[in-house]
């Protein structure tokens, strides 16, 4: 009906020598004024959904239902599903954003800190303070735990883990740099590579325990980022826990 009306206005303008043109133009402005706020509202709703998803997933984990995200965003669950047709799509979006943020923090630490231990500890403190550990991609945490368990007895081995899909499982694990192949489209491989550089530098300088892997570092980020109801308590608890974990990572004179 709207298209037919538009065609009618154009035809009328020609027939009357443009007499109806001003009305058609006015209608165009009215239509624009009606549609532009819709586009703005849609963008605003998307921002609300993403913010709510970060909060909900950060507090409850990626297992939290979409209804909780919609409730926190103060939109209908249908609005969430219009933007993200499945929960997996939303989880992937949040995980990719957090992965990119962690990668940037690691690169900043590498580029701005000359001392290897200072670079590693800066990355850990920045990541924990940002709360990114609560939003690490699920497969990274699972892979980190598997990699840490598998390498528990491999003291002195130089490990720069990468990600690889387990055949027929859909899961990801950490594997050694020599056997890793290719990257992945979510940026996880890049994150592991950059964090691996921080780990190798600190290990080569004799400041990091030789049995610490990239998987261990990622577990520290996740462990030292508890979710507490009070922001001040959460910050204090994170800082205290990270201090303890950092002491555990440092090498000690024989």
């Amino acid at each position: 009906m709207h298209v037919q009306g538009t065609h009618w206005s154009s035809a009328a303008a020609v027939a009357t020598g443009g007499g109806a043109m001003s009305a058609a133009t006015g209608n165009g402005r009215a239509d624009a004024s009606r549609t532009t706020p819709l586009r703005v509202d849609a963008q605003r709703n998307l921002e609300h959904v993403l913010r709510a998803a970060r909060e909900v997933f950060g507090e409850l984990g990626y297992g939290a239902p979409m209804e909780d995200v919609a409730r926190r965003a103060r939109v209908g669950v249908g609005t969430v599903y219009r933007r993200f047709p499945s929960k997996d799509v939303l989880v992937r979006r949040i995980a990719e954003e957090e992965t990119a943020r962690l990668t940037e923090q690691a690169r900043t630490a590498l580029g701005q800190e000359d001392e290897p231990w200072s670079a590693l500890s800066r990355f850990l403190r920045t990541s924990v303070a940002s709360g990114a550990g609560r939003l690490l991609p699920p497969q990274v945490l699972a892979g980190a735990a598997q990699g840490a368990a598998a390498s528990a007895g491999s003291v002195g081995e130089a490990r720069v883990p990468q990600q690889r899909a387990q055949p027929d499982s859909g899961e990801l694990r950490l594997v050694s740099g020599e056997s890793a192949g290719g990257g992945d489209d979510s940026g996880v491989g890049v994150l592991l590579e950059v964090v691996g550089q921080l780990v190798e530098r600190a290990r080569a300088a004799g400041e990091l325990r030789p049995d610490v892997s990239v998987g261990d570092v990622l577990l520290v980020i996740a462990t030292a980022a508890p979710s507490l109801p009070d922001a001040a308590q959460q910050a204090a608890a994170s800082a205290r826990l990270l201090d303890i974990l950092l002491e555990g990572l440092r090498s000690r004179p024989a």
Side-chain angles (χ1 to χ4, degrees), residues 16-33:
T16 59
M21 182 63 73
S22 60
T25 303
N27 288 339
R29 284 196 298 269
D31 290 343
S33 66

Side-chain angles (χ1 to χ4, degrees), residues 55-202:
E55 294 174 357
V56 170
F57 293 149
E59 295 169 8
L60 305 177
Y62 283 118
M66 294 282 265
E67 288 78 8
D68 285 2
V69 174
R71 192 177 302 112
R72 183 73 61 93
R74 296 185 177 180
V75 299
V77 71
T79 298
V80 179
Y81 276 109
R82 276 194 295 274
R83 287 290 183 175
F84 302 97
S86 72
K87 181 181 172 182
D88 286 343
V89 175
L90 178 57
V91 167
R92 182 180 179 86
R93 169 71 177 267
I94 298 299
E96 286 180 355
E97 290 180 353
E98 294 307 306
T99 299
R101 178 161 63 153
L102 281 171
T103 301
E104 184 59 31
Q105 291 168 349
R107 283 176 171 155
T108 298
L110 271 173
Q112 297 184 1
E113 296 290 342
D114 295 329
E115 296 296 326
W117 179 256
S118 297
L120 180 59
S121 61
R122 170 176 173 167
F123 166 65
L124 286 170
R125 292 188 186 281
T126 302
S127 300
V128 169
S130 70
R134 293 190 294 274
L135 291 167
L136 278 169
Q139 67 268 26
V140 173
L141 290 180
Q146 293 170 11
S151 63
S154 304
V155 178
E157 179 186 355
R159 294 179 301 277
V160 183
Q162 298 290 335
Q163 255 194 347
R164 172 173 292 177
Q166 293 276 37
D168 304 324
S169 70
E171 296 181 356
L172 298 171
R173 62 184 176 92
L174 296 180
V175 297
S176 65
E178 291 80 2
S179 61
D184 61 280
D185 59 359
S186 64
V188 173
V190 178
L191 169 64
L192 296 175
E193 179 182 353
V194 179
V195 176
Q197 295 177 43
L198 288 168
V199 169
E200 290 302 317
R201 284 181 56 191

Side-chain angles (χ1 to χ4, degrees), residues 212-242:
V212 173
S213 70
V214 175
D216 297 322
V217 172
L218 294 177
L219 287 176
V220 167
I221 294 174
T223 303
S227 179
L228 300 176
D230 182 82
Q233 291 179 353
Q234 178 172 299
S238 293
R240 173 61 177 162
L241 183 55
L242 182 56

